[in-house]
Amino acid sequence: SMKRGKKAEEASADGENDAGSAAAKKTKKAKEPEAPVLYEDPPDKMTSKDGRDANMKITSWNVDGLRAWVKKKGLDWVREEDPDVLCLQETKCADKDLPGDITSMPEYPHKYWAASDDKGGYSGVAMLCKTEPLKVTYGIGKEEHDKEGRVITAEFPNFYLVTAYVPNASRGLVRLDYRKTWDVDFRAYLTELDIQKPLVLCGDLNVAHQEIDLKNPKGNKKSAGFTPEEREGFSQLLSAGFSDSFRELYPEQTNAYTFWTYMMNSRAKNVGWRLDYFLLSSSLLPGLCDSKIRNKAMGSDHCPITLHFAV
């Protein structure tokens, strides 16, 4: 019925089954804009498939500039959400410029930052933890990829947590070739880790995997984030033994996005893309409780996502 509803919605958007469409054509009136279809994040599920209670909560957010996001009260939302670990992407902030509001946060005594070497105000990721990881590493061990502050890995007793800001193929796809080598090397890095301990990968993976993951698939086949090459790269990551937690739980859910361009009032219209993910090693799947899209939280062109699991 969901599919039929979507078809009907598309048809009405094309003006095919509007009762008054013939009259509208005669008077050359602009057609009524369709009401946006929003996604309502359902109540959090706090029990796993195998009956365990969630005891780990991770939040990931592409903040599109840490300093501006702090000014927009992003930290108020974080304190309310209260995750065990907070992962941030696109901090765009050199270490010396980190806002005191976040560096002094007592809730997260263990804070890790990775900034872009050459370009200040570009890329950058962070991980803030309530409990200290056993070990923290930066990058993926390949020099060509590790200058832009894109990956932090924290080892916990029962799993690794990796947060990533995956390179954007960029306007005109000028970085698509680079992105393809990144995808291969990043997959190899994760596969190596997964041999030692299962992992959670979170962050802005800069790809909408399937047509259901963006509002306008037909018009974006050649756009960064929805090229066949990037989608295939993501499929290969899943084939390597990782699961898209949101789709595991909500395989048919449409209109669930995590990014909306600032242009054309896209967020109010919910014309978006799902670019932010929690991927889990298959051995962690039985402990998956919920994968949330917090699309009411403002402060960036992405919204935060939250994972509940039992570890």
Side-chain angles (χ1 to χ4, degrees), residues 17-267:
N17 63 0
D18 288 3
S21 63
K25 281 195 186 88
K26 275 193 196 113
T27 56
K28 286 273 194 290
K29 266 210 193 99
K31 65 172 189 265
E32 283 293 296
E34 53 180 316
V37 187
L38 305 177
Y39 171 65
E40 287 287 328
D41 193 33
D44 294 20
K45 293 201 282 275
M46 302 303 286
T47 312
S48 66
K49 256 200 303 238
D50 61 10
R52 289 178 289 157
D53 289 335
N55 60 359
M56 190 76 196
K57 179 178 186 179
I58 303 169
T59 292
S60 177
W61 199 348
N62 176 324
V63 293
D64 186 38
L66 184 73
R67 287 164 288 185
W69 172 81
V70 166
K71 285 194 185 107
K72 293 178 204 164
K73 303 278 181 267
L75 291 174
D76 290 354
W77 185 90
V78 169
R79 287 188 189 97
E80 186 78 17
E81 182 78 353
D82 195 34
D84 298 303
V85 184
L86 173 68
C87 298
L88 304 176
Q89 303 86 38
E90 239 187 314
T91 52
K92 299 179 173 175
C93 189
D95 290 358
K96 62 176 172 44
D97 299 323
L98 292 167
D101 288 357
I102 192 165
T103 56
S104 65
M105 263 185 109
E107 295 92 337
Y108 298 97
H110 311 284
K111 304 177 184 71
Y112 308 94
W113 312 92
S116 176
D117 286 354
D118 316 328
K119 300 186 252 189
Y122 173 76
S123 188
V125 292
M127 191 184 288
L128 285 73
C129 309
K130 287 187 175 182
T131 58
E132 188 172 10
L134 303 173
K135 186 182 177 193
V136 173
T137 56
Y138 300 88
I140 63 172
K142 284 216 157 199
E143 199 182 336
E144 62 183 299
H145 301 311
D146 290 349
K147 295 184 174 82
E148 292 183 349
R150 294 190 175 276
V151 178
I152 298 176
T153 302
E155 181 182 353
F156 291 98
N158 299 317
F159 68 101
Y160 286 104
L161 174 60
V162 182
T163 192
Y165 174 50
V166 168
N168 193 313
S170 303
R171 193 179 295 275
L173 304 179
V174 295
R175 278 198 113 183
L176 183 58
D177 285 341
Y178 172 63
R179 167 64 175 268
K180 283 152 72 176
T181 64
W182 162 280
D183 281 350
V184 171
D185 294 341
F186 190 43
R187 186 169 73 245
Y189 171 73
L190 296 171
T191 305
E192 279 294 303
L193 277 185
D194 190 43
I195 293 165
Q196 301 161 58
K197 244 180 219 190
L199 66 85
V200 173
L201 164 65
C202 69
D204 176 357
L205 305 188
N206 255 319
V207 60
H209 183 215
Q210 305 287 15
E211 298 205 343
I212 194 174
D213 295 313
L214 73 168
K215 176 70 178 179
N216 178 17
K218 291 185 181 64
N220 280 300
K221 296 255 196 290
K222 293 180 174 144
S223 301
F226 198 59
T227 61
E229 293 92 334
E230 291 165 293
R231 295 173 64 193
E232 176 57 26
F234 191 91
S235 294
Q236 291 188 353
L237 191 50
L238 298 186
S239 303
F242 303 103
S243 292
D244 174 353
S245 61
F246 184 80
R247 284 290 168 228
E248 282 294 321
L249 296 167
Y250 309 103
E252 306 277 303
Q253 179 62 58
T254 54
N255 302 300
Y257 310 126
T258 65
F259 164 81
W260 306 262
T261 173
Y262 284 127
M263 297 177 289
M264 299 172 301
N265 202 21
S266 297
R267 188 155 183 179

